[in-house]
Amino acid sequence: MYRLAIKQSARKELDSLPEQIFLKIDKAILALKENPFPFPQAKKLKGEDKCRLRVGDYRIVYSVNEEQKIITIFRVRHRKDVYR
């Protein structure tokens, strides 16, 4: 099982979400602890050592440290804003 680390900026983004969307994203983030690469929702980002998880119109950008078994959440944003 992996541990979760959520960056402060991602925590602020989570806090600003509507409750219904927050609950879906929270469930997806907790599921990452069991399976950090769920198929087909998660994909590696080109040119970076990060992945993205799709949850409806929102994206969760994260990285996985296999040695320490830590998943770090960097961003949680709407798909139109996440890669800017």
Side-chain angles (χ1 to χ4, degrees), residues 24-58:
K24 287 182 182 179
I25 291 175
D26 186 51
K27 183 177 177 182
I29 289 174
L30 292 176
L32 286 175
K33 291 171 71 173
E34 297 293 328
N35 180 10
F37 304 106
F39 181 81
Q41 296 91 350
K43 291 186 179 179
K44 284 256 190 204
L45 294 177
K46 292 181 181 178
E48 297 187 41
D49 192 26
K50 296 178 183 171
C51 301
R52 67 108 169 120
L53 178 65
R54 197 181 100 176
V55 181
D57 286 341
Y58 285 81

Side-chain angles (χ1 to χ4, degrees), residues 2-42:
Y2 290 80
R3 291 184 308 150
L4 288 174
I6 301 176
K7 294 282 187 184
Q8 187 65 29
S9 58
R11 194 173 304 273
K12 285 181 183 179
E13 292 167 352
L14 282 170
D15 289 341
S16 68
L17 294 174
E19 184 177 357
Q20 189 174 6
I21 294 168
F22 171 81
L23 293 175
K24 287 182 182 179
I25 291 175
D26 186 51
K27 183 177 177 182
I29 289 174
L30 292 176
L32 286 175
K33 291 171 71 173
E34 297 293 328
N35 180 10
F37 304 106
F39 181 81
Q41 296 91 350

